[in-house]
Amino acid sequence: MTENTQQQTAPTTELPTQYAPAEVEGPLYERWVERGYFEADAKSEKPPYTIVIPPPNVTGSLHLGHAFEHTLIDALTRRKRMQGFETLWQPGMDHAGIATQNVVERELAKEGKSRHDLGREAFVERVWQWKAESGGQISGQMKRLGDGVAWSRERFTMDEGLSQAVQTIFKKLYDDELIYRAERIINWCPRCLTAISDIEVEYQDDDGELVSIRYGEGEDSLVVATTRAETMLGDTAVAVHPDDERYKHLIGRRIKLPLTDRTIPVVADTHVDPEFGTGAVKVTPAHDPNDFEIGQRHDLPNLAVMDERAVITAHGPFQGLDRLEARSAIVAALRAEGRIVAEKRPYVHSVGHCSRCKTTIEPRLSMQWWVKVGPLAKAAGDAVRDGKVKIHPQEMEKRYFDWVDNLHDWCISRQLWWGHRIPVWYGPNGEVVCVGPDEQPPAGEGWHQDTDVLDTWFSSGLWPFSTLGWPERTESLEKFYPNSVLVTGYDILFFWVARMMMFGLYAMDGTPPFHTIALHGMVRDQNGKKMSKSFGNVVNPLDWMDTYGSDAVRFTLARGANPGVDVPIGEDWVQASSKFANKIWNATRFALMNGATVEGELPDPSEMSATDRWILSRLNKTVAEVDAFYDDYQFSKLSDALYHFAWDEVFDWYVELSKTTFFAGGEGARVSGRVLGEVLDVMLRLLHPVVPFVTEALWTTLTGGESVVIADWPKDSGFRDTAAEQEIALVQRVITEVRRFRKDQGLQDAQKVPARLELGGTALAPHEPAIRQILRLQPEGEGFSATASLPVAGATVALDLSGTIDVEAERKRLTKDLAAAEKEKAQANGKLGNEAFLAKAPDNVVEKIRTRLAKADEDIARIQAQLANLPQA
């Protein structure tokens, strides 16, 4: 088997009678951190294994999604550490520009102040103060979960080093003409008062209204439909398709814009779908991205009619109204003029909302900073196509390509005060200077820095290399870049993963930031429903940890983790995992009390019983199976494999089959004690990455080793014993069949029954003591009468039930059950033999009746066998 190279002390068998996670977990984690097990040494000659934490927001707290993702990452890094890698799980937090600024602004509002009352410098100082006092509570919660991160390397996206990285890459992109400033339509949040990117917009179906409005007069009129009537004040054209015969006479002419004293042109544009609606669309270049493109093609003016708070600024009776107030007022005014042709309410349509505050997004023409993503996105796509980076599961590649192959230029400026400020200065004569981190900004009268800050995804996109000291070529960067794998949810494949790919390839000379992208799904409630405060189904994982322990939460999450698939989870499942942790504890405690040991060499197989050889064969197969599942990121399958090996094969079968050997003592007990110690040693090491706390407490007690965290990962020794596996399979079959019979006869588990085992020359003979022990079968004794005989696996188990059950009462009960089953069969056959019924009945109803018939046949056969096995009067 595997060797454990740690310094060992004499193991102790002293374990508390019950496992108390609350008493074990905290002290163990503190010990791990104090001993530096999770730290990473850039000077180490071990091969590197690097994973970055998807940096949680500094405003955040540990939610079930964090706990899920962290469990998977921690399992991977713990295993690699045990395999001899120099592991770095890089921790840190994101400054979360909009979210953090909103938190502090709400605090100021309680004091009757706004950020403008403080001024920019004082407000930013206030945010730093909040961060020091209240931000980052998630760090403590990560420790509760058992996250094995390198705490000494913890980073924050606004740290001095990371800020230098941000300024460096901005300057590099700017000099390479991949960053530019331009007036474009952006997504604007009137609540947060900032631009947000496409991926920060959440779309949902809202009840709105669709109004059809007549523009122009008489034969020179046409009808347009809109859900945003208030934007008509900013219309600068109506567009039709150039081939639409209905409107050819109007193309190039001007028509009257209702409610205004303006006329606007009718333009021909192929963007217009003549089959949709009336085939004519209003064009508002300053308030719609598609209209902006039409406006660019036809040199139309951009007329903004709303301010940053979505209040109407156009002169006239609607000035000063909120956009929604203006919408109603404008429709009423149009109706009064007889301009409304049709109205549809409610009109359900997809509307964008700010992902931070849920306010309806307003498309707005604005001067912003942009990244020209074309060449960067191409490189990010090619890296996956060329096999430099693998996406797991592979079917997620299509979603990745659909995104990176169709990326629009990225708006990176935000109208906030908290964040990395744009490193560009403007001079009194229109000068524009981008300043790198080692350069002095221009000074003198009239020079000022751009007031905007960068999108928070700009800095988090640098995370895999900025956290390692880039732009300096540090030892850590040389050792730990690129990352081995990125473990993250498919929901931020576009937010974060694509940005890291673009920036990593660009900044690191074509080297991608990671070799593999392992995507997981979202955690949902036990019914598969999205967790949401509005649904009332949000779970605080800390509550479950308090009740059941962190290991139980981790094991439940890992056991549900199929690659790229959402994970349903309920408290019942956590409770079941808690029972598993207790089972490991109690069974190991029993084993230690009955001779399980790791002392001395493992005996030669020739000295072992078939039961010993069987469990070692199964152990090695499990090691190989778990390794294969880890390498394929199949957390659910590896967790299931470990669960069934530990509970079913080790505790329910091997320990039970070996009890007679342990109780008998002697050489057999010594050999089996060493085998059981070996099995527990390996099993606990296999389980450790997923359930680290209970395995640490048990493994150190069993082996006397320093810590399972730094123990060797088990290796498949290649030992297999097919004959032993087949032999024990026969034993299991006998025990299972007799158990089933006992249950059918209504016997209690602990009830002893006289029995004769006719094992003959079968491989079952050596196992008779264990079979009798497990099945509570007494020797035949005087007056034994074989009232029931069970042939199974080439042997016969004869039972004397005369003194254990009321035969007549049992015969009456079974006869009654048989009559009911035969009646059910007759009814089902009657319906299935009725052609008229079959012609009318739905397929699912017919199938249910067939299922009932099959069940009735099974019940009849089972009950008849039970009756036949009853003792004769």
Side-chain angles (χ1 to χ4, degrees), residues 733 735-745 775:
R733 185 177 163 194
I735 291 171
T736 301
E737 289 295 325
V738 176
R739 275 177 172 164
R740 183 180 295 118
F741 176 76
R742 288 176 58 111
K743 183 178 180 181
D744 288 343
Q745 301 305 318
L775 292 172

Side-chain angles (χ1 to χ4, degrees), residues 349-406:
H349 61 133
S350 182
V351 178
H353 295 259
C354 174
S355 62
R356 300 294 182 188
C357 69
K358 312 308 176 187
T359 301
T360 300
I361 289 301
E362 188 62 44
R364 185 169 188 249
L365 186 64
S366 180
M367 183 68 75
Q368 301 285 345
W369 285 94
W370 304 81
V371 171
K372 187 185 296 183
V373 299
L376 302 176
K378 182 181 184 304
D382 290 346
V384 175
R385 288 188 177 92
D386 297 344
K388 289 182 180 177
V389 178
K390 297 187 183 304
I391 293 180
H392 187 87
Q394 191 174 0
E395 55 265 27
M396 285 285 181
E397 283 187 3
K398 184 180 184 301
R399 295 183 66 172
Y400 177 78
F401 292 136
D402 286 347
W403 182 257
V404 297
D405 292 347
N406 297 286

Side-chain angles (χ1 to χ4, degrees), residues 88-102:
L88 169 59
W89 182 9
Q90 175 65 56
M93 285 181 290
D94 190 277
H95 65 280
I98 297 175
T100 306
Q101 181 156 320
N102 282 346

Side-chain angles (χ1 to χ4, degrees), residues 31-89:
R31 188 186 311 160
W32 292 336
V33 174
E34 287 170 2
R35 294 179 178 179
Y37 293 154
F38 305 142
E39 296 304 321
D41 182 4
K43 297 181 184 297
S44 169
E45 294 183 1
K46 297 178 182 178
Y49 186 81
T50 316
I51 297 182
V52 295
I53 189 174
N57 288 353
V58 68
T59 59
S61 60
L62 189 75
H63 57 63
L64 211 50
H66 287 131
F68 172 55
E69 186 168 78
H70 290 200
T71 294
L72 306 187
I73 298 174
D74 196 38
L76 290 174
T77 52
R78 284 179 182 270
R79 172 178 175 254
K80 285 296 182 180
R81 185 181 296 112
M82 295 171 75
Q83 285 182 318
F85 286 77
E86 190 64 30
T87 58
L88 169 59
W89 182 9

